[in-house]
Amino acid sequence: MSVVFALATPPAKSAICVFRVSGHGCLDKIKQITGCELKRARTFYLRSFLDAGGGVIDNVGVVFFKGPNSYTGEDSFEVYAHGSLGVMSLIVDVFKGLGFDEAPPGEFTKRAFLNNKISLNEAEAVVDIIDSSSRESVYLSSKSLSGTFTDLVVGFSKKIDFLRMGVEGEIDFSDEGEDFLDGALVGGLKKIVVDFSLFVDGCVNKKHYSSKNKVLFVGPVNSGKSSVFNRLLGFERALVSSVAGTTRDLVESELFYSDASFSLLDSAGIRETDDLIESRGISIALEQIEGADVVVGIFDSFDKNVLNKFSKLTKGKKYLTVYNKLDLGPPNQEVFDCLVSAKTGEGFGELKNKLASFFKVFDRSDYSFLVRDRHISLFNSSLKCLKDALLKIEEGGGLELVAEDLRLARGFLDEVVGVKTSDSLLGDIFSNFCIGK
Amino acid sequence: MDKFDVIVVGGGHAGVEAAHAVSRAGMVCALITFDKTKIGQMSCNPAIGGLGKSHIVREIDAMGGIMPLATDMSGIQYRTLNTRKGDAVQALRVQCDRKLYKEAIQKIIKQTDIYLIEAEVTDLIIDKSFVKGVIANGKEVKAKKTILTTGTFLNGLMYTGSEVTKGGRVGDDSAIPLSKKLYDLKLPMGRLKTGTPARITMSSLNLSVMEEQPGEKPTPFMSLTNQAQEHQKQMPCYITRTNKNTHKIISENTHLSAMYSGNISGIGPRYCPSIEDKVFKFSSKDSHQIFIEPEGIGIDLIYPNGISTSLPKKAQQEFIRSIEGMENAEITEYGYAVEYDFIDPRTNKKTLETTFLKDFYLAGQINGTTGYEEAAAQGLVAGINATLSIQNKDPFILNRDEAYIGVLIDDLTTHGITEPYRMFTSRAEHRLLLSQNNAEQRLLTKAYNLNLIKKERYQNYLKREEAYKNFVKNTLEKTKIKTFLNKNNDTVTLEEKRSLYSILTRPDVEENKLIKIQEDEKVFFKRASVEIKYKGYIDKQLREINKNKKQNNKKIPSSIDYKNISGLSNEVVEKLTQSNPETIGSAAKIEGVTPAAINLILINIKKLELQKINA
Ligand SMILES: Cc1cc2nc3c(=O)[nH]c(=O)nc-3n(C[C@H](O)[C@H](O)[C@H](O)COP(=O)(O)OP(=O)(O)OC[C@H]3O[C@@H](n4cnc5c(N)ncnc54)[C@H](O)[C@@H]3O)c2cc1C
Ligand SMILES: Nc1nc2c(ncn2[C@@H]2O[C@H](COP(=O)(O)OP(=O)(O)OP(=O)(O)O)[C@@H](O)[C@H]2O)c(=O)[nH]1
Ligand SMILES: [Mg+2]
């Protein structure tokens, strides 16, 4: 089977991250990655991790396992690197450059099962993973990359199919006296390349935010949102002051807890205000509710009207109400999900658990991040093929090579929009052109 | 002879190729067919090759088959299609003399020890689930293996307007008892249809107003084996067109066409529409091209390619006479549609042995294909596999990346058909690997190991390959130059001397003016420049193929029940159940089957294997 890799630790900033690589022939590449040979299996080596040009990306730990004595039963190795997102993405690039594939969910366990390393019971669990992952990936993709994500990709694949119809028609039915391309190939291709590039760029930008679970803090001014935010992070990220209306911009930071990664967003307290900048901050906060996965309301007193107002604002979102400043005394009504004190740290264990529980679906593994990353890399590969096709036409290369680039470009979208069989492609040709003697 | 090794039923293109393959491999074969004089008959248009099809013929050639030989013995016009595109999608099309083609096939068959039996096969001899032979003209004929290649003859019905005639081809019988027998066996069968145009005397046409289409010069050969042989006298084809008046006549009569009157239930090929179809569906076009193809040397008959029809005779005559140059056309035989039975090819294994009866193979149009080449390829595969099975050897299966024949068989047996199946190059995802010019490189070693070609041919081939390697090494890699001419005829000067090999990788170089190549090395040069141009793409494809090779070749046990695999969608379960793919690779090709679904299947296969061990 091919060589696959996956990030075994969550795709969030952390002390270290671990990559697993498995598959026949992967050990031969260690030398390329680290610049030297490793002698003994199951031994921890400290080495430099090199990029394709030989530059050092990070100092890492490497351990290799000789099949069948490994988790998957295949030759495999693990890389322990520093857990910054930058390092992770560079390592991913190197692996891809070596021809490794990103492992789909459950791949390692599947291989372990196929190589007799784990029992049927464990394998059944993998079936569940694969099963849920396919459901989840649909959920994730449609959610994270805007609601129309799938529609957009389907749209692009249809455009590619349309070009393929012309090109394949021109190849297979060249003596039919039909003009399949109608001079529209180059124009059509250019347009797709431009539109698709914009789309992929958009995905990459969105991914930055949407790859994590977004937790938005809202609440009345001065209720202690920034204080709770800082306490959760463990350091002073947001400015805290006794002046109401301190936080005006959105403040974002990452938190990693119990297998899940969050992106915490502190926002401006909500109140009626004449201050232009502050009111802009408030409207940003309200907009953010739209894109948040979970909204946490922070209150420092019980006021039925205020609570109602907030629950209305967050309609439809997962919503957690938190009473802060517990050290000053409990609320006079037991309506809050959580009671904390940002000052003493009381109640934060429970708050974190409650937050993590919202993300149960995601906490199993890496794919909330990787599935999306996989999509983007598929799009990029597809885009590259479209550009190659354009180049081929400009160079005057054969139409069969243009056809091949288009076929490959379309193939990369299969995973998102499904396979287009040659038969249905031919069907399109027959219904659009008058073919046949 | 009380028992043959193999019986082949049907003397069409599938039948003769099957019988010949069996006899090449040294087995005793009987060929049973209605009429000996019609062996090798071209039912429709007298041409071999064309896009996707010449690829198949060259593969048959590399396997030692007879279609390419007969083609060259009867070819009267050769044309390479797609010359402005690259090597992989170029195709040779040969217009044949219908009579000479048939005679050539019959001559080749007579040179073998194949037993020819002129009879109608009406029944199969079945013992439990094994086919032991057939009943021909009421007598038992027994064999270890039986191959059925009955073409369009199973319950064949021909339609012209409201007239219906029994027969699989004009002037021939219809195989009705055998069809009934197969229906009684409750096989998954269906009806398909196809059509053919009227035949017209050449002398009645005014060819001078038509565009003449001469053959290619120098005239190439279809078969790579007998290059020294002489060609038949070459003849041109002609091109004319339908016009508004033609379309008006057709429109007025469409309701009388057999195809439109609702008499025919069979599904016709969309790429071979009748002229009434073309006029109806593409009403915005007011003219369609017609190729006037001579039926043969000294035969006063042409085949008007492009106006296949099942209109009533009167309407046929009227619309044909409205076409430029055909005003006085004398019709000798009217066009008709033919409807016939086929058996769902998904019930076949990749050896073309059926799963419902053992020692029983189906090949050719009976499997839902159309075209001589597709039929011949299947005959070859069935013949080889019947032989191998008798010899207790591993089956012969070509992969999709090895041959168009592999694509054909895989498509048929895993996806089945929705209309008569014809090969197109776009069906082959590894098209760039499968040129009509590299069939020997792909298949000759296999053919030699299967005893299908003579040792001498194989040794010559090995010598040629060696010479080619030397040419690349000694001429292309060692010769270094600094300047060359580009496609605009400008001189390009390089910074330093580069090898011819590396210069050929450039898209702008004018290959024909790069160096002076000796006549006998021209083929090598052309081949090298193609290989260099494709290298990047082919490497990519090979990587892809090798990546999944082991997984793709993994057999799916027939005991698998897709319904029991949790996680597969109902739609995918249904498709997989219908297709019943033999391997993971085939399963992955089915529309809607995702990589995740493949993983689920793999895990379940393993589960079945474990259960077997534990049981
Ligand atoms: C009217 C018509 C139009 C066509 N149009 C096209 C076209 O436009 N394009 C295209 O590519 N192809 C066309 N074809 C198809 C092409 O002719 C076939 O695909 C090809 O000939 C199939 O080869 P085969 O060997 O499977 O069968 P056939 O060539 O049909 O041979 C069948 C043989 O079996 C024999 N036989 C059948 N039943 C029995 C029996 N019970 N006992 C003994 N012998 C039997 C017959 O005598 C015959 O020799 C057309 C065919 C017809 C008839
Ligand atoms: N006693 C006590 N004081 C707190 C607690 N949390 C916050 N405070 C105080 O409350 C005041 C406001 O805190 P911030 O965290 O700035 O409140 P905020 O909700 O972010 O305010 P704005 O950004 O202005 O809307 C500060 O003076 C904090 O010191 C707590 O748990 N206990
Ligand atoms: Mg604040």
Side-chain angles (χ1 to χ4, degrees):
Chain A
M1 269 191 244
S2 62
V3 176
V4 290
F5 73 93
L7 186 58
T9 45
K13 201 167 158 217
S14 52
I16 60 162
C17 65
V18 181
F19 278 95
R20 287 202 292 189
V21 180
S22 178
H24 180 70
C26 73
L27 298 184
D28 302 342
K29 306 284 183 182
I30 294 182
K31 184 158 180 227
Q32 213 167 321
I33 297 168
T34 63
C36 50
E37 212 117 16
L38 306 185
K39 289 213 173 60
R40 263 178 308 160
R42 300 165 169 271
T43 307
F44 198 88
Y45 289 93
L46 219 53
R47 290 288 181 271
S48 298
F49 195 101
L50 309 175
D51 63 21
V56 175
I57 291 176
D58 191 14
N59 289 319
V60 300
V62 187
V63 183
F64 78 87
F65 306 87
K66 194 94 189 94
N69 300 317
S70 68
Y71 175 66
T72 54
E74 304 171 325
D75 286 353
S76 59
F77 68 88
E78 291 173 5
V79 173
Y80 301 76
H82 291 99
S84 94
L85 289 173
V87 166
M88 290 181 214
S89 73
L90 288 172
I91 290 178
V92 167
D93 288 346
V94 170
F95 285 155
K96 284 189 182 162
L98 290 169
F100 299 175
D101 293 324
E102 283 188 43
E107 180 70 20
F108 284 86
T109 312
K110 180 195 85 185
R111 289 182 180 213
F113 174 65
L114 294 180
N115 293 319
N116 296 321
K117 299 298 284 192
I118 57 168
S119 72
L120 184 59
N121 281 346
E122 288 167 281
E124 306 261 65
V126 185
V127 173
D128 287 343
I129 295 172
I130 296 173
D131 188 17
S132 65
S133 76
S134 39
R135 253 185 278 129
E136 197 167 292
S137 66
V138 172
Y139 167 70
L140 280 173
S141 52
S142 58
K143 184 178 159 86
S144 61
L145 299 165
S146 97
T148 54
F149 165 74
T150 317
D151 291 347
L152 283 169
V153 181
V154 169
F156 284 116
S157 56
K158 281 200 178 134
K159 282 181 189 151
I160 297 174
D161 289 342
F162 183 77
L163 291 182
R164 291 191 68 204
M165 182 176 83
V167 170
E168 296 294 343
E170 184 62 33
I171 289 174
D172 268 338
F173 306 97
S174 59
D175 57 345
E176 295 280 350
E178 279 270 347
D179 189 356
F180 292 93
L181 297 174
D182 204 14
L185 178 59
V186 174
L189 197 49
K190 274 190 181 147
K191 185 151 168 33
I192 296 185
V193 167
V194 170
D195 292 350
F196 200 41
S197 301
L198 285 174
F199 171 72
V200 176
D201 287 350
C203 290
V204 174
N205 291 335
K206 280 201 186 117
K207 193 196 100 190
H208 179 63
Y209 286 105
S210 55
S211 62
K212 286 150 278 168
N213 307 311
K214 257 204 253 180
V215 180
L216 179 70
F217 289 86
V218 297
V221 282
N222 229 10
S223 59
K225 297 180 294 298
S226 302
S227 305
V228 172
F229 176 83
N230 287 345
R231 174 61 92 167
L232 272 172
L233 289 177
F235 62 95
E236 300 294 305
R237 174 72 175 80
L239 205 64
V240 172
S241 87
S242 58
V243 180
T246 305
T247 308
R248 295 177 165 207
D249 277 332
L250 212 56
V251 183
E252 189 192 9
S253 198
E254 262 177 67
L255 171 70
F256 166 56
Y257 177 72
S258 166
D259 258 13
S261 103
F262 308 104
S263 169
L264 301 186
L265 294 156
D266 184 20
S267 67
I270 291 173
R271 66 164 177 188
E272 304 288 319
T273 177
D274 294 334
D275 184 327
L276 213 75
I277 299 177
E278 193 191 336
S279 69
R280 174 102 184 86
I282 294 173
S283 64
I284 289 176
L286 292 175
E287 271 172 29
Q288 282 300 315
I289 291 178
E290 190 64 30
D293 296 294
V294 172
V295 180
V296 180
I298 310 278
F299 306 93
D300 60 355
S301 64
F302 172 76
D303 179 332
K304 207 171 158 213
N305 286 335
V306 174
L307 280 175
N308 279 345
K309 208 166 113 198
F310 273 93
S311 86
K312 253 191 211 133
L313 281 176
T314 58
K315 214 165 89 190
K317 294 284 166 186
K318 290 177 187 154
Y319 183 43
L320 196 67
T321 53
V322 177
Y323 172 79
N324 182 33
K325 307 193 186 175
L326 185 61
D327 56 303
L328 297 179
N332 45 16
Q333 286 270 351
E334 286 193 24
V335 292
F336 296 97
D337 298 320
C338 238
L339 306 178
V340 302
S341 164
K343 195 165 177 183
T344 63
E346 199 183 341
F348 272 77
E350 206 197 323
L351 174 59
K352 285 182 182 178
N353 283 337
K354 286 226 158 103
L355 279 179
S357 75
F358 274 124
F359 297 110
K360 255 277 146 49
V361 232
F362 301 98
D363 68 8
R364 204 3 266 183
S365 81
D366 31 30
Y367 39 77
S368 57
F369 175 71
L370 282 186
V371 164
R372 278 174 270 203
D373 206 38
R374 272 163 65 78
H375 284 162
I376 287 170
S377 87
L378 291 170
F379 296 158
N380 273 320
S381 308
S382 179
L383 190 57
K384 165 135 198 331
C385 293
L386 292 173
K387 288 179 180 163
D388 285 350
L390 202 52
L391 193 70
K392 268 276 146 351
I393 299 175
E394 279 160 7
E395 283 174 349
L399 196 64
E400 78 280 17
L401 298 179
V402 177
E404 176 70 3
D405 283 323
L406 290 178
R407 184 184 73 84
L408 291 169
R410 180 59 177 77
F412 285 114
L413 302 185
D414 282 355
E415 227 164 289
V416 185
V417 301
V419 184
K420 175 97 180 172
T421 59
S422 64
D423 214 52
S424 66
L425 182 68
L426 282 163
D428 290 349
I429 297 178
F430 301 141
S431 47
N432 284 285
F433 298 100
C434 183
I435 307 280
K437 295 174 189 162
Chain B
M1 181 62 68
D2 56 42
K3 191 165 180 189
F4 295 97
D5 288 318
V6 179
I7 292 172
V8 176
V9 181
H13 307 276
V16 294
E17 210 64 71
H20 202 269
V22 169
S23 109
R24 279 208 296 292
M27 296 274 141
V28 185
C29 181
L31 179 60
I32 310 180
T33 192
F34 274 129
D35 181 348
K36 273 189 201 175
T37 64
K38 297 231 169 106
I39 288 176
Q41 167 98 324
M42 302 171 119
S43 318
C44 192
N45 126 2
I48 300 280
L51 281 154
K53 291 175 167 252
S54 69
H55 295 77
I56 291 178
V57 183
R58 285 278 171 82
E59 288 169 4
I60 294 174
D61 188 50
M63 303 295 296
I66 64 176
M67 174 171 269
L69 303 178
T71 304
D72 283 334
M73 287 158 79
S74 59
I76 52 174
Q77 192 222 33
Y78 287 71
R79 244 166 19 99
T80 303
L81 308 177
N82 270 345
T83 46
R84 281 186 309 168
K85 294 167 201 123
D87 177 75
V89 297
Q90 291 186 8
L92 184 60
R93 185 178 185 282
V94 185
Q95 200 65 49
C96 295
D97 179 310
R98 193 189 293 280
K99 191 159 154 278
L100 289 179
Y101 185 89
K102 186 171 77 174
E103 285 170 11
I105 291 284
Q106 292 178 10
K107 187 171 157 199
I108 296 170
I109 293 289
K110 283 212 185 85
Q111 288 162 355
T112 67
D113 52 7
I114 297 169
Y115 278 74
L116 292 181
I117 302 174
E118 199 171 60
E120 174 175 3
V121 168
T122 50
D123 204 350
L124 303 172
I125 307 171
I126 300 173
D127 180 3
K128 296 191 185 89
S129 60
F130 292 85
V131 171
K132 302 277 185 194
V134 299
I135 307 291
N137 281 1
K139 288 203 207 88
E140 283 197 352
V141 185
K142 290 195 169 176
K144 294 176 189 149
K145 310 279 169 186
T146 300
I147 305 176
L148 210 57
T149 70
T150 49
T152 48
F153 287 70
L154 282 182
N155 199 11
L157 290 174
M158 296 181 288
Y159 297 82
T160 305
S162 55
E163 286 174 39
V164 186
T165 325
K166 285 181 186 154
R169 181 166 66 198
V170 74
D172 276 303
D173 286 339
S174 171
I176 294 170
L178 186 59
S179 162
K180 192 172 172 308
K181 176 72 190 177
L182 295 174
Y183 268 104
D184 288 348
L185 287 168
K186 301 223 164 10
L187 306 183
M189 289 168 74
R191 298 286 276 170
L192 291 172
K193 69 144 205 250
T194 185
T196 198
R199 305 301 144 85
I200 300 167
T201 60
M202 196 172 212
S203 54
S204 68
L205 300 182
N206 180 5
L207 296 173
S208 63
V209 299
M210 300 183 191
E211 180 191 331
E212 182 176 321
Q213 187 191 45
E216 184 174 329
K217 289 233 169 79
T219 311
F221 284 93
M222 183 56 96
S223 171
L224 300 171
T225 58
N226 57 347
Q227 302 270 349
Q229 176 210 288
E230 294 225 340
H231 283 104
Q232 299 288 351
K233 178 181 159 232
Q234 298 297 293
M235 296 176 77
C237 292
Y238 298 86
I239 300 172
T240 182
R241 310 190 63 95
T242 59
N243 53 44
K244 281 190 184 148
N245 191 23
T246 319
H247 293 195
K248 189 167 157 269
I249 299 166
I250 291 168
S251 300
E252 284 165 6
N253 287 287
T254 298
H255 63 285
L256 299 173
S257 155
M259 236 92 91
Y260 278 79
S261 58
N263 283 341
I264 300 183
S265 60
I267 301 159
R270 280 172 302 172
Y271 43 84
C272 240
S274 61
I275 187 70
E276 41 278 34
D277 255 352
K278 291 194 214 176
V279 170
F280 182 73
K281 290 194 184 133
F282 296 91
S283 54
S284 61
K285 290 197 80 173
D286 42 36
S287 173
H288 296 283
Q289 192 170 257
I290 304 168
F291 288 88
I292 302 295
E293 303 174 345
E295 289 259 324
I297 305 157
I299 302 175
D300 183 20
L301 221 49
I302 63 99
Y303 179 97
N305 197 342
I307 49 170
S308 138
T309 181
S310 60
L311 285 170
K313 292 176 178 170
K314 193 172 153 283
Q316 289 193 29
Q317 169 146 333
E318 206 183 326
F319 90 74
I320 286 173
R321 291 194 171 175
S322 74
I323 297 166
E324 190 181 18
M326 303 179 92
E327 294 82 358
N328 300 312
E330 289 291 340
I331 297 174
T332 60
E333 217 172 77
Y334 285 88
Y336 60 93
V338 58
E339 196 190 27
Y340 54 93
D341 294 335
F342 79 103
I343 301 178
D344 184 344
R346 285 177 297 185
T347 53
N348 290 341
K349 299 186 219 167
K350 286 191 183 175
T351 54
L352 295 185
E353 186 180 13
T354 66
T355 48
F356 49 84
L357 288 172
K358 298 196 183 74
D359 295 337
F360 185 51
Y361 297 73
L362 301 176
Q365 193 133 351
I366 191 170
N367 283 332
T369 61
T370 161
Y372 311 130
E373 302 82 351
E374 288 84 348
Q378 293 171 66
L380 183 74
V381 168
I384 294 173
N385 278 301
T387 305
L388 289 171
S389 172
I390 294 172
Q391 296 167 335
N392 269 326
K393 289 189 185 153
D394 284 345
F396 168 72
I397 293 164
L398 289 168
N399 292 327
R400 298 181 69 94
D401 54 68
E402 284 174 317
Y404 274 87
I405 298 179
V407 174
L408 170 74
I409 305 284
D410 184 50
D411 277 354
L412 291 176
T413 56
T414 27
H415 303 289
I417 57 141
T418 48
E419 65 184 315
Y421 180 103
R422 180 210 193 273
M423 185 50 77
F424 296 106
T425 71
S426 52
R427 295 198 192 270
E429 64 277 26
H430 301 295
R431 176 164 65 192
L432 297 178
L433 296 173
L434 310 178
S435 157
Q436 65 168 358
N437 296 321
N438 65 15
E440 287 199 322
Q441 282 104 275
R442 291 184 272 122
L443 300 173
L444 210 64
T445 302
K446 285 178 198 286
Y448 179 65
N449 291 334
L450 289 168
N451 252 331
L452 293 169
I453 56 160
K454 297 220 171 74
K455 190 168 182 183
E456 188 193 344
R457 176 173 177 197
Y458 189 55
Q459 281 172 339
N460 283 339
Y461 161 78
L462 292 179
K463 258 188 240 150
R464 230 180 318 126
E465 288 302 290
E466 188 62 30
Y468 173 68
K469 269 192 213 130
N470 288 334
F471 170 79
V472 172
K473 215 162 58 202
N474 298 334
T475 308
L476 296 185
E477 284 171 7
K478 287 200 181 139
T479 315
K480 301 202 169 167
I481 56 172
K482 210 173 162 177
T483 60
F484 65 87
L485 285 178
N486 71 11
K487 287 195 170 124
N488 299 329
N489 226 1
D490 300 326
T491 304
V492 178
T493 307
L494 299 164
E495 276 176 25
E496 55 185 303
K497 280 190 167 183
R498 305 274 303 274
S499 71
L500 293 176
Y501 191 93
S502 75
I503 290 171
L504 278 169
T505 61
R506 300 177 56 125
D508 58 339
V509 59
E510 176 55 64
E511 288 158 25
N512 300 328
K513 295 183 184 155
L514 192 58
I515 46 160
K516 241 191 132 48
I517 300 279
Q518 281 161 1
E519 200 55 39
D520 58 331
E521 287 187 330
K522 277 204 171 132
V523 181
F524 287 169
F525 181 75
K526 201 166 158 232
R527 172 170 162 194
S529 81
V530 169
E531 288 182 3
I532 291 167
K533 289 261 138 50
Y534 282 178
K535 190 165 186 306
Y537 288 86
I538 285 178
D539 287 349
K540 232 191 264 175
Q541 292 211 336
L542 289 177
R543 238 178 289 139
E544 189 138 300
I545 294 162
N546 288 328
K547 195 165 88 190
N548 297 320
K549 196 161 207 161
K550 217 172 126 199
Q551 178 169 315
N552 283 344
N553 289 341
K554 176 130 191 113
K555 290 246 160 15
I556 302 178
S558 49
S559 60
I560 200 160
D561 186 353
Y562 293 104
K563 279 198 299 298
N564 292 341
I565 303 182
S566 78
L568 292 180
S569 74
N570 288 339
E571 187 201 342
V572 167
V573 168
E574 196 176 304
K575 282 193 174 153
L576 287 166
T577 310
Q578 271 197 348
S579 301
N580 201 11
E582 279 181 50
T583 60
I584 288 290
S586 303
K589 285 263 134 46
I590 295 169
E591 202 154 59
V593 174
T594 60
I598 290 295
N599 278 342
L600 291 173
I601 298 170
L602 279 171
I603 287 172
N604 264 270
I605 294 175
K606 177 82 179 195
K607 197 165 132 186
L608 288 176
E609 285 167 4
L610 282 181
Q611 281 165 353
K612 224 186 200 164
I613 293 169
N614 293 339

